[in-house]
């Protein structure tokens, strides 16, 4: 009697393979799927591979500066423009400030020009509008030229040449002393030595007999005395009387005025602030003496206010 085999209950198409055959088949499938996936990506759409960090940094730096190149050019141009605007030339522009003909320069204008240019070139701090000390600049010029009553410096915004404004002092008279002749301004200070130029020839001439030694840029006479002398000369000129010379005698407050074409002179009290009254007394006295045909032989003394003495 033949033995019957027991049929397997597992369907024929679904049998599980032996354990030793499953691994190769599964590995082969995954590898194949991976190959297909890589092939799909290689069709013109391959993912970018990571680049070295050095190449990325170099490209980023180049891109950074390329994006800011225009700004750098603009900033450089602005900086150059600012430096140009603030820079100063060593060649100044001299501008006189003259209130009248008496305020004309007593020196040639080229002298002041050369001194200002030399002062500008003497320090690097004078080469731009921020560091230049205009106060010290003005003070230095006034010390060098005592005939200047004021000096001011203007720094134009768009111009490189500084403008130097000079106000000359008002020359009032020529004072002759033991150590020379000097131009005296209306403040009584010695401006400079007299050189007998045409502009100085028109100034009143005063001879000092006190032995005073004059120094430039120092007080010689009081401003009141200078004003007194100027008033006497002007009042006499209004009456068509020309002053030929004036003398300050030693040890007195006297001013002796000599008139052109006359043998006598007039004694004035220099320290009495009444020049007009004293001139008026002299004019009335000389008119009366001429009327009486008794002109003075030596002098007329009007130093006492309201009185006149003659000899």
């Amino acid at each position: 009697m033949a033995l019957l085999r027991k049929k397997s209950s597992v369907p024929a198409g679904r049998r599980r393979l032996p354990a030793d055959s499953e691994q190769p088949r599964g590995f082969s499938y995954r590898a194949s799927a991976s190959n297909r996936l890589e092939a799909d990506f290689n069709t013109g759409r391959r993912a970018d591979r990571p680049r070295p960090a050095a190449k990325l940094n170099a490209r980023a730096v180049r891109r950074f500066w390329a994006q800011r190149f225009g700004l750098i050019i603009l900033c450089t141009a602005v900086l150059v423009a600012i430096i140009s605007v603030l820079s100063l030339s060593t060649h100044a522009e001299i501008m006189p400030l003259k209130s009248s003909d008496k305020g004309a320069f007593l020196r040639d204008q080229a002298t002041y020009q050369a001194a200002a240019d030399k002062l500008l070139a003497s320090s690097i701090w004078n080469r731009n509008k921020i560091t230049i000390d205009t106060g010290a600049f003005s003070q230095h010029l006034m010390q060098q030229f005592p005939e200047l009553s004021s000096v001011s410096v203007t720094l134009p915004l768009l111009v490189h040449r500084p403008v130097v404004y000079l106000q000359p002092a008002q020359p009032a008279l020529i004072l002759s002393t033991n150590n020379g002749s000097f131009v005296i301004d209306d403040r009584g200070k010695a401006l400079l030595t007299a050189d007998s130029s045409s502009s100085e020839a028109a100034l009143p001439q005063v001879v000092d007999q006190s032995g005073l030694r004059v120094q430039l840029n120092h007080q010689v006479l009081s401003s009141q005395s200078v004003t007194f002398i100027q008033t006497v000369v002007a009042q006499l000129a209004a009456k068509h009387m020309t002053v030929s010379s004036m003398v300050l005698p030693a040890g007195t407050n006297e001013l002796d005025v000599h008139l052109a074409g006359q043998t006598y002179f007039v004694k004035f009290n220099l320290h009495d602030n009444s020049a007009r009254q004293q001139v008026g007394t002299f004019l009335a006295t000389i008119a009366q003496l001429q009327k009486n045909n008794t002109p003075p032989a030596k002098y007329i003394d009007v130093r006492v206010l309201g009185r006149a003495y003659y000899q």
Side-chain angles (χ1 to χ4, degrees), residues 244-266:
S244 58
S245 65
M246 290 178 282
V247 178
L248 298 174
T252 66
N253 296 326
E254 182 179 325
L255 172 67
D256 294 342
V257 177
H258 296 260
L259 302 174
Q262 303 295 334
T263 57
Y264 64 89
F265 64 92
V266 185

Side-chain angles (χ1 to χ4, degrees), residues 252-303:
T252 66
N253 296 326
E254 182 179 325
L255 172 67
D256 294 342
V257 177
H258 296 260
L259 302 174
Q262 303 295 334
T263 57
Y264 64 89
F265 64 92
V266 185
K267 295 183 178 184
F268 292 94
N269 185 359
L270 188 62
H271 282 194
D272 190 347
N273 191 20
S274 58
R276 291 178 179 271
Q277 291 86 340
Q278 292 184 51
V279 172
T281 300
F282 158 70
L283 293 175
T285 301
I286 193 63
Q288 185 64 37
L289 292 178
Q290 289 175 348
K291 182 178 180 180
N292 296 336
N293 198 22
T294 56
K298 191 173 181 180
Y299 64 82
I300 297 177
D301 189 346
V302 293
R303 288 177 294 174

Side-chain angles (χ1 to χ4, degrees), residues 18-232:
D20 55 348
S21 63
E22 289 180 358
Q23 184 65 26
R25 288 181 178 272
F27 177 80
S28 176
Y29 174 78
R30 288 195 296 272
S32 176
S34 176
N35 292 337
R36 286 198 303 272
L37 181 61
E38 183 176 355
D40 292 341
F41 277 102
N42 286 340
T43 57
R45 294 180 294 176
R46 181 181 296 178
D48 292 338
R49 296 179 179 178
R51 296 184 177 90
K55 291 184 178 180
L56 290 177
N57 291 339
R59 178 172 292 184
V61 170
R62 288 195 299 270
R63 185 181 302 152
F64 174 85
W65 289 113
Q67 292 175 350
R68 289 159 177 78
F69 180 76
L71 180 61
I72 294 173
I73 295 299
L74 178 61
C75 292
T76 303
V78 171
L79 180 61
V80 171
I82 292 175
I83 294 175
S84 177
V85 168
L86 293 179
S87 64
L88 282 177
S89 170
T90 57
H91 185 63
E93 182 178 1
I94 303 298
M95 296 292 292
L97 296 176
K98 298 188 293 184
S99 58
S100 64
D101 291 339
K102 291 182 179 181
F105 285 141
L106 298 178
R107 301 178 195 254
D108 189 86
Q109 187 167 336
T111 303
Y112 303 106
Q113 181 74 63
D117 293 349
K118 182 178 179 181
L119 186 58
L120 285 172
S122 64
S123 173
I124 193 174
W125 303 111
N126 294 335
R127 303 294 180 86
N128 70 81
K129 299 174 184 178
I130 296 178
T131 59
I132 186 172
D133 189 344
T134 56
F137 185 94
S138 301
Q139 189 66 26
H140 185 88
L141 282 183
M142 290 187 64
Q143 291 176 354
Q144 186 175 355
F145 302 106
E147 70 272 16
L148 300 177
S149 62
S150 67
V151 177
S152 60
V153 181
T154 299
L155 306 176
L157 180 61
L158 300 178
V159 181
H160 299 295
R161 294 181 63 186
V163 182
V164 181
Y165 293 95
L166 304 180
Q167 176 63 60
Q170 298 291 333
L173 53 91
I174 303 295
L175 184 66
S176 298
T177 65
N178 291 339
N179 62 324
S181 297
F182 300 87
V183 178
I184 309 300
D185 69 358
D186 53 0
R187 301 166 298 177
K189 297 180 68 174
L191 299 180
L192 68 166
T193 56
D195 57 6
S196 301
S197 63
S198 58
S199 61
E200 296 173 4
L203 297 175
Q205 307 287 324
V206 180
V207 178
D208 179 75
Q209 296 180 343
S210 65
L212 175 68
R213 295 190 62 82
V214 176
Q215 294 182 4
L216 292 179
N217 204 23
H218 283 70
Q219 197 76 24
V220 178
L221 299 173
S222 66
S223 59
Q224 176 183 335
S225 297
V226 174
T227 302
F228 187 100
I229 294 172
Q230 290 178 312
T231 302
V232 168

